[in-house]
């Protein structure tokens, strides 16, 4: 297709060039422009739909995991439910299960530490109470034999406290080594 039809007519002072616009060419260009605009609109629509699909399948689960991890980090709720996403077999599902298992392990570890602290407190209070009783009794007792017995009880309680503290230290060290392994 030629865009214009031109004809040259000789003239005394030069050449006169007359052109006529070819309407079929103009229609063809407009038709191609409309086709390109339609294709661009279709591509933009597909891009928007694909973005919404990706947001629904990737971003929302990751956002739920991040929010649950944030709640676990803050420790506000005792039983924070971390979504496991069992139907997903992709990397996001693996990540969800790993974060869930990690938070459950952390929760169990905290429970064990609380139980250990309660046991340690109980074990330390017994010799301390006995030691306090012996020390308080020394001031009130005038009998030298009884004072000697109370001092022996105090010494035994100090040895017992020292052994308990060493046992606690060893248990903490062992627990740290197991956690590293």
């Amino acid at each position: 297709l030629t865009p214009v039809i031109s004809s040259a007519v000789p003239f005394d002072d030069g050449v006169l060039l007359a052109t006529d616009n070819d309407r079929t060419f103009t229609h063809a260009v407009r038709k191609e422009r409309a086709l390109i605009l339609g294709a661009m609109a279709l591509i933009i629509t597909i891009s928007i739909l694909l973005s919404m699909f990706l947001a629904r399948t990737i971003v929302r689960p990751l956002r739920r995991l991040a929010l649950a991890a944030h709640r676990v980090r803050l420790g506000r709720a005792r039983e924070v439910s971390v979504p496991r996403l069992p139907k997903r077999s992709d990397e996001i599902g693996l990540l969800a299960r790993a974060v869930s298992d990690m938070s459950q392990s952390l929760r169990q570890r905290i429970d064990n530490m609380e139980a250990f602290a309660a046991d340690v407190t109980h074990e330390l209070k017994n010799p301390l109470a006995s030691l306090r009783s012996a020390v308080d009794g020394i001031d009130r007792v005038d009998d030298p034999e009884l004072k000697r017995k109370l001092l022996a009880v105090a010494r035994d309680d100090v040895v017992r406290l020292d052994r308990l503290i060493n046992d606690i230290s060893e248990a903490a060290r062992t627990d740290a080594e197991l956690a590293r392994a």
Side-chain angles (χ1 to χ4, degrees):
L1 295 175
T2 57
V4 283
I5 299 171
S6 42
S7 58
V9 178
F11 217 181
D12 289 339
D13 290 336
V15 178
L16 175 66
L17 183 63
T19 61
D20 184 20
N21 203 0
D22 187 8
R23 296 200 189 281
T24 58
F25 179 77
T26 305
H27 288 298
V29 168
R30 287 184 180 158
K31 185 177 176 183
E32 291 298 320
R33 281 184 188 165
L35 189 63
I36 290 172
L37 280 174
M40 287 178 61
L42 180 66
I43 289 171
I44 289 172
T45 303
I46 290 172
S47 296
I48 290 171
L49 291 175
L50 187 60
S51 297
M52 290 170 46
F53 172 75
L54 290 175
R56 186 173 50 96
T57 59
I58 294 174
V59 175
R60 284 184 187 158
L62 287 177
R63 187 174 290 143
R64 286 177 50 205
L65 283 174
L67 182 63
H70 183 69
R71 284 194 311 260
V72 168
R73 181 182 65 85
L74 293 177
R76 290 192 178 147
R78 176 77 182 114
E79 291 293 325
V80 176
S81 65
V82 178
R84 291 188 62 83
L85 305 176
K87 293 180 182 176
R88 293 194 69 146
S89 60
D90 59 353
E91 290 82 4
I92 293 176
L94 291 172
L95 176 66
R97 288 184 286 284
V99 169
S100 177
D101 293 344
M102 180 186 65
S103 67
Q104 287 176 354
S105 175
L106 180 63
R107 205 173 296 127
Q108 183 180 10
R109 192 172 194 89
I110 290 171
D111 290 344
N112 290 343
M113 287 176 65
E114 288 174 353
F116 180 72
D119 291 344
V120 166
T121 302
H122 177 72
E123 289 296 323
L124 289 176
K125 283 193 175 196
N126 286 340
L128 279 176
S130 175
L131 184 61
R132 180 181 296 137
S133 215
V135 170
D136 288 345
I138 288 175
D139 290 338
R140 288 186 233 143
V141 173
D142 293 330
D143 183 15
E145 180 64 28
L146 194 52
K147 279 188 178 187
R148 193 173 45 76
K149 285 182 180 180
L150 287 174
L151 280 173
V153 167
R155 283 187 194 104
D156 289 343
D157 286 339
V158 168
V159 169
R160 186 172 160 200
L161 278 172
D162 185 48
R163 188 184 49 210
L164 281 172
I165 290 171
N166 287 336
D167 290 347
I168 291 166
S169 174
E170 183 65 31
R173 197 173 314 117
T174 303
D175 185 49
E177 288 174 11
L178 286 174
R180 282 188 213 114

